[in-house]
Amino acid sequence: MVILERRDRKGPILTPSSLPCLRDMPTINITEGCAHGCSYCYTQGYSSFPGMGRVVLFDNIPELVRAELGRKRRCPRRVYFSPSSDAFQPLPDVLDVTHQTMSILLEWGIEVAFLTKGALEERFLVLFAKAPKRVYAQVGITTLDERLCQTFEPGAAAPAARLRNMESLARIGVP
């Protein structure tokens, strides 16, 4: 069971990651913590990690993103989602905030990029199909063995669901 806490995010949203590979691109973490509970996750060492089985959702992110974009002279070309969590966690409220935020960015002509071990709901495929060349998807698969996956990534989508994600994304033209 995952405990979901709600909190308002403070400060700027579209900020570069501290990860060297993402330092030139704004990133957004919809949550602190992740319902996937991957045993090997590096974010467990972060001071902001809420602990296993806890996820902090920043539900004001869509409003903050819209306001921040309205103040910018120059919008970013691309925003990377969730370098320290997963935007597609199996939590309806997290998925709602993710969908709202990605919708805003795509409306503004901003590309969205993400890495997920979650299952993509149909509403995301519908959204992405409207602008497939502005969506960059990565689907993480550590194993095709269901039992191993349950051991190492207990809350993540099953390997077969992730393969379906890739098929669906490719079908609508998302690289």
Side-chain angles (χ1 to χ4, degrees):
M1 181 172 115
V2 174
I3 297 167
L4 181 67
E5 297 176 25
R6 295 172 181 283
R7 202 178 293 163
D8 279 348
R9 173 80 189 263
K10 308 266 191 267
I13 298 299
L14 300 171
T15 58
S17 173
S18 60
L19 299 172
C21 60
L22 295 172
R23 74 173 157 248
D24 296 327
M25 184 184 321
T27 62
I28 295 177
N29 283 303
I30 300 295
T31 66
E32 285 179 350
C34 182
H36 291 163
C38 300
S39 62
Y40 52 81
C41 185
Y42 62 89
T43 65
Q44 293 175 41
Y46 288 5
S47 61
S48 61
F49 182 68
M52 281 301 223
R54 287 185 57 220
V55 172
V56 176
L57 170 62
F58 300 111
D59 22 18
N60 66 334
I61 285 181
E63 297 81 29
L64 294 174
V65 165
R66 191 179 299 280
E68 195 170 316
L69 289 172
R71 290 189 306 270
K72 286 190 175 296
R73 283 189 208 173
R74 191 166 167 231
C75 290
R77 184 173 67 91
R78 180 181 298 166
V79 173
Y80 189 85
F81 273 78
S82 302
S84 298
S85 62
D86 194 309
F88 298 96
Q89 298 173 49
L91 300 169
D93 293 342
V94 171
L95 293 170
D96 289 346
V97 172
T98 297
H99 190 273
Q100 291 169 30
T101 306
M102 287 183 171
S103 295
I104 292 165
L105 291 168
L106 289 169
E107 283 170 18
W108 279 73
I110 298 168
E111 298 170 351
V112 297
F114 61 87
L115 165 63
T116 187
K117 292 183 183 112
L120 296 177
E121 293 181 345
E122 184 64 25
R123 65 180 163 158
F124 287 97
L125 297 172
V126 169
L127 176 65
F128 298 159
K130 293 175 187 173
K133 299 301 180 214
R134 290 199 317 254
V135 178
Y136 296 87
Q138 296 172 301
V139 179
I141 297 179
T142 54
T143 180
L144 294 176
D145 183 303
E146 291 274 341
R147 207 176 57 158
L148 280 176
C149 184
Q150 256 321 330
T151 300
F152 292 111
E153 306 163 340
R162 295 187 226 177
L163 291 171
R164 282 192 300 277
N165 282 348
M166 290 190 283
E167 289 171 347
S168 297
L169 290 163
R171 186 178 61 250
I172 62 172
V174 172

